[in-house]
Amino acid sequence: DAAAAAIRNFQATGQESRMANIYPRMYTVIQRANNILRFVPNMNIRASVKNQVLGEAYFARGHAYFWLAPRFGDHRAGIPIVTVENMEDMRFERPSHVIENYKLIEDDMKKAAELLPYFTTYSARDLGRAHKDAAHAYLAKTYLYWAHHDASKWASVVTYADLVINSPTGRRLINTGNPAEDFASVFSVPNNFSSEYVFSTVSSVERGQILPSVMLENTGWGLYNGWGT
């Protein structure tokens, strides 16, 4: 339909169906993350708990901006940046370029990576929480978008993708002997926390939000919207 065509061609019309709903929803996440970042540092709790909570808050805020910035910002203007420092303001101006949003995501994900452990240290009940490899993976994806405005960021894509690939968690591709089955299996719930796992939103549905180890190729924009030649 027309809305799907507009999204495919990176044209924002305001009629993007379910895509339009992520704007208020993600800013709700940002507001909650900011409240955590504002009040938790002064709480008298165990350092390990504090680091986990703050790391997840930085990850959540960066993750929310990651979903918003490429869809609602561009070279003409970014989207409003709301942090602990200005969260009480009544008005939020748009930055002059979406790069300002990518800088915030970069800072948040680096802080998250410093504070969070590897997911292999989690018990079964905690699988699905943000972790170090996930933060590095979203840094790599952020730099992919950023590189379209600043070519020097391609090097950072490689740096952070390598950190995920070479993670001490023992990451490796699924290998059943059937390449087609291997690819499809990455997107299934039974393999959600397999050796190829990076990050996903835990859900009861068969397939949901996923971040497998495939990233956009810089030749894809305008051709196959993610898959180049």
Side-chain angles (χ1 to χ4, degrees), residues 1 18 29 38 50 77 86 96 104 164 169 175 177 182 204 225 228:
D1 58 17
R18 64 190 179 93
V29 172
R38 178 180 182 180
K50 183 177 290 190
N86 70 339
S96 61
L104 176 65
V164 176
T169 59
N175 184 4
D182 292 344
S204 60
N225 296 327

Side-chain angles (χ1 to χ4, degrees), residues 94-114:
R94 298 183 67 180
S96 61
H97 199 294
V98 72
I99 282 178
E100 296 305 313
N101 297 119
Y102 296 145
K103 289 179 180 178
L104 176 65
I105 300 169
E106 174 188 45
D107 188 54
D108 279 354
M109 288 300 178
K110 284 185 176 180
K111 288 176 179 176
E114 291 176 2

Side-chain angles (χ1 to χ4, degrees), residues 192-229:
N192 199 25
F193 302 111
S194 69
S195 62
E196 203 166 332
Y197 166 74
V198 179
F199 185 69
S200 63
T201 299
V202 177
S203 172
S204 60
V205 299
E206 182 62 21
R207 298 182 184 222
Q209 180 205 38
I210 51 177
L211 198 167
S213 56
V214 177
M215 301 294 189
L216 295 175
E217 185 180 353
N218 66 342
T219 55
W221 297 100
L223 296 176
Y224 305 102
N225 296 327
W227 295 102
T229 54

